[in-house]
């Protein structure tokens, strides 16, 4: 696994993560967990893995218009095992929200910031994953209008993410390299989480109370019926690899090219049916908080979403990420690059629950739960919304930009052009 972002913070987090892994690959003793929990509870600012997010809340302001600030604390960790050297990740907690309007900030207020976490699983080489890691965030920010309030910024964020994905793909393809990558890109601003994804890297939310929900949709042709129908309706062919004698083997793939994913960044050699338009979901947590697990398919081919969440509950984020990787390797072995980021979004006064030993996972039961999660990606999120733990703000998964609500949200006077699929996007992004 190569280093994450070239930024100083990402590099520091990466080296810190490597030092944390020096203790061996076995299960962590309880005494070590208690020691780690005590270390994780140290005052804010004493470690690179803990940062505070402040969220402006105008609802319920006094008659004088005074704002209240609600603090969201982020604790995060990352673990990885490399097989092919094509997984990459991004950890940034110091991103400044650009050009916030004066009505939502003041000289006495801290600069508005947000955090970014991403997993990029490359294929056919690592060039696309590296390029996406280094450029996607800048393309997203360049697509945002200036002078927005925080509420307007969050409202515009889904469209900017789509524009950023499309521009990253277009620019990488112009280099003529045949590599491709999945991308699961998570932006956290206060208690609001916005996730954009292509491919089969996944982000799940483990909310307080133990309810697990998907914040992404897998774009595997084998399992995603809607994507198969889209590809074939556009004139593409979906089928398995044919071998001598006419037998078909392996997962469903899109031809030409033979990619088993229907969406990705890069992949100039696989034809126009593989698109970079992401599934986007935006939710807002209550101040009860929750845990995000963002991982490549090296995790999800071994563990269901439920199993991944359960195996690390009660552990601090850094140990939780390591535990998820260990559980995946124990279940399936190291058959692919395996990367996991865990982010806890909590109140500053919230403590980590006392750790309990991970339960053994029944493999058959795990596969059943995994299939159910894929068939109903939004069911659990809606259950969380019903009890007030998660507010679903936005969701859009169409591969056609002209059909997407986030693309219709903002209308600009900038001239437009078309990509290979005749989908409009802003050339000024």
């Amino acid at each position: 696994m190569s280093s994450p972002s070239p930024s100083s913070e990402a590099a520091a987090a990466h080296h810190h993560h490597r030092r944390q892994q020096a203790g061996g690959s076995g299960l962590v003793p309880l005494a070590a967990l208690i020691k780690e929990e005590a270390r994780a509870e140290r005052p804010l600012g004493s470690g690179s893995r803990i940062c505070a997010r402040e969220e402006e809340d105008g609802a319920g302001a006094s008659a004088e218009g005074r704002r209240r600030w609600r603090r969201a604390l982020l604790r995060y960790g990352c673990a990885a095992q490399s097989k092919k050297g094509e997984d990459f990740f991004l950890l940034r907690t110091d991103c400044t929200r650009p050009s916030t309007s004066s009505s939502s900030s003041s000289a006495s207020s801290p600069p508005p910031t947000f955090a970014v976490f991403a997993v990029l699983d490359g294929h056919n080489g690592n060039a696309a994953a590296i390029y996406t890691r280094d450029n996607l965030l800048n393309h997203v920010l360049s697509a945002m209008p200036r002078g927005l309030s925080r509420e307007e910024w969050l409202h515009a964020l889904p469209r900017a993410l789509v524009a950023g994905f499309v521009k990253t793909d277009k620019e990488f393809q112009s280099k003529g390299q045949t590599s491709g990558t999945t991308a699961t890109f998570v932006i956290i601003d206060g208690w609001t989480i916005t996730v954009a994804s292509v491919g089969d890297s996944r982000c799940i939310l483990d909310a307080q109370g133990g309810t697990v929900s998907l914040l992404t949709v897998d774009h595997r042709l084998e399992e995603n019926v809607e994507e198969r129908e889209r590809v074939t309706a556009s004139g593409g062919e979906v089928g398995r690899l044919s071998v001598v004698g006419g037998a078909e083997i392996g997962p469903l793939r899109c031809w030409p090219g033979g990619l088993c994913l229907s969406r990705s960044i890069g992949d100039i050699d696989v034809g126009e049916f593989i698109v970079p338009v992401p599934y986007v979901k935006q939710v807002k947590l209550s101040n009860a908080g929750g845990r995000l697990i963002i991982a490549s398919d090296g995790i999800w081919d071994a563990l269901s979403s439920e199993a991944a969440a359960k195996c690390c509950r009660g552990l601090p984020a850094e140990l939780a990420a390591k535990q998820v990787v260990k559980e995946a390797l124990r279940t399936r072995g190291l058959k692919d690059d395996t990367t996991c980021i865990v982010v806890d979004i909590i109140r500053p006064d919230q403590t980590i629950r006392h750790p309990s030993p991970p339960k053994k996972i029944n493999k058959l039961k795990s596969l059943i739960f995994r299939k159910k999660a894929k068939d109903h990606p939004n069911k659990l999120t809606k259950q969380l919304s019903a009890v007030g733990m998660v507010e679903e703000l936005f969701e859009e998964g169409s591969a056609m930009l002209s059909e997407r609500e986030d693309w219709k949200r903002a209308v600009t006077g900038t001239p437009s052009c078309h990509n290979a699929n005749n989908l409009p996007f802003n050339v000024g992004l």
Side-chain angles (χ1 to χ4, degrees):
M1 176 61 55
S2 56
S3 62
S5 169
S7 70
S8 58
E9 177 176 352
H14 177 66
H15 293 310
H16 180 67
H17 161 63
R18 291 302 184 196
R19 291 196 299 271
Q20 291 294 321
Q21 284 191 314
S25 58
L27 291 177
V28 182
L30 179 60
L33 294 180
I34 295 174
K35 182 178 179 180
E36 176 69 14
E37 180 175 352
R39 185 194 65 76
E41 289 296 326
R42 65 193 177 204
L44 181 66
S46 60
S48 62
R49 296 276 172 182
I50 303 175
C51 63
R53 315 240 64 76
E54 295 196 55
E55 174 167 326
E56 181 182 348
D57 184 10
S62 65
E64 291 79 15
R66 298 177 59 187
R67 298 184 180 91
R68 293 184 293 110
W69 292 86
R70 299 181 300 169
R71 296 177 64 84
L73 187 69
L74 300 186
R75 292 192 176 119
Y76 61 96
C78 180
Q81 289 289 330
S82 179
K83 176 74 170 180
K84 304 174 183 176
E86 294 177 335
D87 269 13
F88 290 79
F89 56 89
L90 178 65
L91 310 171
R92 289 281 305 273
T93 61
D94 60 345
C95 305
T96 301
R97 195 187 320 137
S99 302
T100 303
S101 67
S102 58
S103 63
S104 61
S105 62
S106 67
S108 60
S109 302
T113 61
F114 61 94
V116 175
F117 301 92
V119 168
L120 311 143
D121 181 0
H123 48 264
N124 198 18
N126 59 20
I130 293 174
Y131 184 85
T132 301
R133 179 200 65 187
D134 295 345
N135 293 278
L136 178 53
L137 176 58
N138 288 336
H139 290 333
V140 171
L141 294 181
S142 69
M144 293 292 290
R146 303 306 179 193
L148 301 180
S149 67
R150 178 177 180 274
E151 181 179 354
E152 292 169 337
W153 191 84
L154 290 172
H155 188 75
L157 187 54
R159 181 187 182 277
L161 282 162
V162 175
F165 271 65
V166 171
K167 184 172 184 179
T168 301
D169 173 77
K170 181 172 182 280
E171 289 195 352
F172 180 74
Q173 289 200 13
S174 71
K175 298 178 179 295
Q177 296 176 304
T178 57
S179 174
T181 186
T182 73
T184 296
F185 200 78
V186 180
I187 292 180
I188 303 174
D189 189 329
W191 299 100
T192 301
I193 305 165
T194 310
V195 184
S197 62
V198 293
D200 57 0
S201 298
R202 190 184 301 175
C203 177
I204 67 171
L205 169 64
D206 187 13
Q208 294 293 331
T211 303
V212 178
S213 58
L214 288 169
L215 299 185
T216 54
V217 168
D218 290 351
H219 295 130
R220 282 187 176 181
L221 290 165
E222 182 72 32
E223 296 143 357
N224 193 316
V225 176
E226 290 183 359
E227 288 295 280
R228 290 203 300 270
E229 292 175 347
R230 175 185 67 80
V231 169
T232 55
S234 301
E237 181 181 348
V238 175
R240 305 185 193 281
L241 181 65
S242 296
V243 295
V244 178
E248 295 185 341
I249 61 173
L252 290 174
R253 301 175 183 273
C254 178
W255 304 96
L259 191 65
C260 61
L261 302 174
S262 60
R263 304 193 199 186
S264 68
I265 290 175
D267 290 311
I268 193 173
D269 59 330
V270 299
E272 63 183 26
F273 309 109
I274 308 303
V275 298
V277 182
Y279 170 90
V280 179
K281 193 176 186 74
Q282 187 177 73
V283 299
K284 184 175 182 179
L285 303 182
S286 72
N287 61 8
R291 164 171 285 181
L292 299 179
I293 300 179
I294 312 158
S296 63
D297 65 345
I299 296 294
W300 308 120
D301 285 343
L303 303 175
S304 68
S305 299
E306 291 274 358
K310 287 180 180 178
C311 80
C312 67
R313 282 186 184 141
L315 301 182
E318 290 184 32
L319 290 180
K322 293 169 67 175
Q323 181 63 36
V324 173
V325 170
K326 289 175 185 176
E327 190 63 28
L329 296 180
R330 185 191 68 81
T331 303
R332 188 171 178 258
L334 184 60
K335 298 183 181 299
D336 196 0
D337 292 334
T338 303
T339 302
C340 178
I341 300 172
V342 172
V343 185
D344 289 331
I345 309 168
I346 58 177
R347 300 188 310 271
D349 60 344
Q350 187 173 337
T351 59
I352 299 174
R353 294 187 294 261
H354 188 75
S356 57
K359 296 180 180 179
K360 292 184 177 180
I361 299 172
N362 182 295
K363 292 185 179 180
L364 178 59
K365 183 178 180 181
S366 175
L367 289 173
I368 293 173
F369 275 116
R370 186 167 184 263
K371 186 175 187 304
K372 287 182 178 179
K374 288 175 180 174
D375 289 342
H376 305 282
N378 305 308
K379 182 178 180 181
L380 292 175
T381 305
K382 295 184 185 303
Q383 291 177 358
L384 291 172
S385 300
V387 297
M389 298 181 70
V390 174
E391 180 184 356
E392 186 170 324
L393 302 179
F394 182 83
E395 179 185 14
E396 179 59 76
S398 174
M400 302 297 293
L401 293 181
S402 59
E403 298 176 357
R404 293 181 65 102
E405 289 302 318
D406 48 8
W407 201 252
K408 298 174 184 176
R409 279 183 168 192
V411 178
T412 69
T414 308
S416 63
C417 64
H418 293 77
N419 66 4
N421 298 289
N422 296 318
L423 303 178
F425 64 91
N426 189 339
V427 294
L429 300 177

